Amino acid sequence: MRNCENYRFIERHRPWRDLTFKFYSDGALTIIDNTADEVITPRELKGESYDFYVRRRIAFIKQDLNAKQSKYA
């Protein structure tokens, strides 16, 4: 079963995109531009939305590593 963590992020500066980040337990990612109702890639992120993505990705990797470490240690 694939678990998913959803995060909503609204940019504070133009173009004020309303984004939903879906981080899946298997490492997959989906980023949805809620205004345009389309999927975008991490390459299309800039500024604070890119920073948010990087911080959440790092947190996900740390959480995954800790879970694996406690499972196999």
Side-chain angles (χ1 to χ4, degrees):
M1 185 168 98
R2 233 167 85 151
N3 293 330
C4 177
E5 292 184 23
N6 294 311
Y7 298 94
R8 186 172 180 192
F9 185 83
I10 301 173
E11 294 177 337
R12 292 179 285 180
H13 305 286
R14 290 185 189 257
W16 297 303
R17 289 191 296 185
D18 178 1
L19 305 171
T20 298
F21 292 80
K22 295 184 176 195
F23 291 91
Y24 295 93
S25 59
D26 63 359
L29 167 71
T30 302
I31 305 171
I32 302 168
D33 182 334
N34 297 315
T35 305
D37 197 30
E38 63 184 17
V39 175
I40 63 172
T41 66
R43 288 182 179 172
E44 297 175 71
L45 299 174
K46 295 177 185 165
E48 62 185 348
S49 59
Y50 184 75
D51 184 54
F52 175 81
Y53 157 72
V54 170
R55 284 186 281 115
R56 291 304 323 151
R57 178 59 88 186
I58 290 170
F60 173 80
I61 292 168
K62 284 181 180 179
Q63 180 182 359
D64 187 52
L65 287 173
N66 287 335
K68 287 177 181 174
Q69 186 178 26
S70 64
K71 181 178 179 181
Y72 296 111

